[in-house]
């Protein structure tokens, strides 16, 4: 795996302040998550909402309890607007992603999740569970949670279990099981799966939470009268398989108009020495 160069403190000062990047990383390694408030501007939020509007207006709801039967999910976002490429390549998020996963990391998934009033709590899960490697182990992913709407105690703010990225393979109460991915699965009962040490990621619109891929978390129940919208780019090491097949979701004729870093994250790139080639050549040649 390539080792990413340390980010410039000056480039990140607006978000990290005077605290050294290595201190933030130590906190990330200890707790499994970080939160940064008010990262995106009002104009950036408006552009994101405008790009998502025609897709959310279709009101396609989840197929099971994991997706959320009163939630909208919009996948393959980089195929829908370049504003999502800007979000996936945001320097604050990528500084931690590349430090954890290497400079040749990939975008594993990038989706919007819109929780409507009445949505129930999601089953607990961790985002790199599909790799099925025994825990405890290093995380094989980093997930970003961008708050497009404010995340509050009542509207379904993501709930996290600090330090749980270091736990063993034991399932926890309320964890996702096979029925949660089936169309006929039942929702969690009120209070089922609640953990007294859980933390709600309460933050204003435009804020960012980063979580290790092995951190237990869930979407909260929306007990408010308004929806709660987030966008979650999820990243993986360059030598692992992405959750979404990005080169089909964002084919070359679309990817060619995106920034080079976004192209690389999608998979139009090489994990040294030559993993990811196409017909013996670098995949970026497909966009020429």
């Amino acid at each position: 795996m390539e080792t990413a160069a340390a980010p410039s403190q000056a480039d990140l000062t607006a978000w990290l302040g005077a605290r050294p990047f290595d201190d933030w990383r130590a906190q990330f390694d200890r707790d499994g998550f970080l939160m940064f408030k008010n990262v995106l501007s009002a104009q950036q939020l408006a552009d994101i909402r405008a790009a998502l509007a025609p897709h959310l207006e279709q009101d396609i709801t989840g197929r099971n309890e994991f997706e959320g039967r009163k939630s909208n999910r919009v996948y393959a976002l980089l195929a829908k607007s370049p504003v999502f490429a800007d979000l996936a390549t945001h320097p604050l998020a990528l500084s931690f992603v590349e430090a954890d996963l290497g400079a040749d990391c990939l975008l594993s998934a990038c989706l919007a999740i819109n929780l409507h009033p009445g949505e129930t709590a999601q089953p607990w899960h961790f985002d790199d569970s599909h790799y099925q490697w025994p825990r405890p182990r290093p995380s094989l992913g980093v997930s970003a949670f961008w708050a497009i709407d404010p995340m509050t105690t009542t509207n379904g703010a993501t709930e996290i279990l600090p330090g749980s990225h270091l736990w063993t393979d034991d399932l926890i109460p309320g964890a996702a099981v096979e029925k949660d991915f089936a169309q006929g699965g039942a929702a969690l009962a009120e209070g089922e799966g609640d953990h007294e040490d859980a933390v709600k990621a309460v933050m204003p619109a435009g804020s960012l939470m980063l979580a290790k891929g092995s951190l237990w978390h869930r979407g909260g129940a929306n007990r408010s009268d308004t929806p709660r919208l987030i966008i979650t780019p999820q990243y993986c090491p360059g030598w692992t398989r992405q959750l979404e097949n990005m080169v089909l979701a964002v084919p070359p004729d679309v990817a060619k108009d995106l920034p080079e870093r976004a192209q690389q994250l999608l998979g139009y790139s090489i994990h040294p020495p030559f993993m990811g080639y196409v017909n013996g050549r670098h995949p970026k040649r497909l966009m020429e």
Side-chain angles (χ1 to χ4, degrees):
M1 179 176 72
E2 293 183 19
T3 301
S8 165
Q9 185 76 28
D11 293 341
L12 301 176
T13 296
W15 305 297
L16 303 186
R19 184 179 170 192
F21 181 75
D22 286 347
D23 284 359
W24 286 100
R25 278 205 72 199
Q27 180 182 339
F28 196 30
D29 289 341
R30 182 190 71 230
D31 298 339
F33 74 98
L34 294 170
M35 287 194 284
F36 301 93
K37 294 184 178 180
N38 301 311
V39 178
L40 301 178
S41 69
Q43 186 59 57
Q44 287 173 304
L45 289 171
D47 292 344
I48 290 167
R49 290 191 182 102
L52 272 178
H55 307 287
L56 293 177
E57 285 169 1
Q58 298 177 41
D59 196 26
I60 300 173
T61 52
R63 295 161 287 190
N64 50 53
E65 290 305 319
F66 187 83
E67 285 191 323
R69 300 187 191 278
K70 293 185 178 180
S71 295
N72 311 123
R73 289 190 172 221
V74 182
Y75 296 98
L77 287 182
L78 273 69
K80 294 174 169 63
S81 172
V83 301
F84 303 117
D86 294 339
L87 206 58
T89 59
H90 194 282
L92 176 59
L94 277 189
S95 65
F96 289 94
V97 170
E98 292 175 350
D100 260 26
L101 305 178
D104 56 354
C105 59
L106 295 171
L107 186 67
S108 183
C110 189
L111 62 150
I113 306 175
N114 191 41
L115 270 66
H116 287 281
E119 181 60 279
T120 57
Q122 189 184 32
W124 291 98
H125 61 283
F126 50 97
D127 285 341
D128 68 3
S129 61
H130 53 286
Y131 293 120
Q132 298 183 352
W133 285 7
R135 297 169 53 117
R137 57 163 170 77
S139 293
L140 292 172
V142 174
S143 295
F145 298 79
W146 290 98
I148 309 306
D149 291 328
M151 301 251 279
T152 72
T153 58
T154 58
N155 75 355
T158 303
E159 300 176 18
I160 54 178
L161 294 171
S164 61
H165 61 302
L166 304 174
W167 292 359
T168 66
D169 269 331
D170 294 338
L171 286 181
I172 64 173
V177 293
E178 187 174 351
K179 71 175 180 63
D180 296 314
F181 301 94
Q183 291 190 1
L188 291 174
E190 183 71 22
E192 184 180 358
D194 287 358
H195 291 259
E196 62 179 14
D197 51 348
V199 172
K200 291 180 183 287
V202 173
M203 51 189 181
S207 299
L208 168 67
M209 180 175 74
L210 296 170
K212 299 273 188 178
S214 50
L215 185 80
W216 284 96
H217 65 280
R218 69 177 184 176
N222 189 346
R223 300 184 179 91
S224 74
D225 56 3
T226 56
R228 184 275 277 166
L229 176 63
I230 67 166
I231 292 176
T232 175
Q234 301 173 12
Y235 307 85
C236 63
W239 49 271
T240 60
R241 182 168 182 170
Q242 295 149 288
L243 275 172
E244 184 158 19
N245 191 319
M246 288 295 181
V247 295
L248 290 179
V250 191
D253 62 324
V254 176
K256 66 180 175 60
D257 296 324
L258 298 177
E260 182 179 13
R261 188 68 185 103
Q263 295 171 354
Q264 294 167 349
L265 287 168
L266 288 168
Y268 296 94
S269 55
I270 290 290
H271 174 78
F274 45 70
M275 187 176 181
Y277 67 83
V278 178
N279 198 25
R281 306 178 77 192
H282 196 292
K284 69 181 180 182
R285 298 290 183 86
L286 296 173
M287 296 180 289
E288 294 178 348

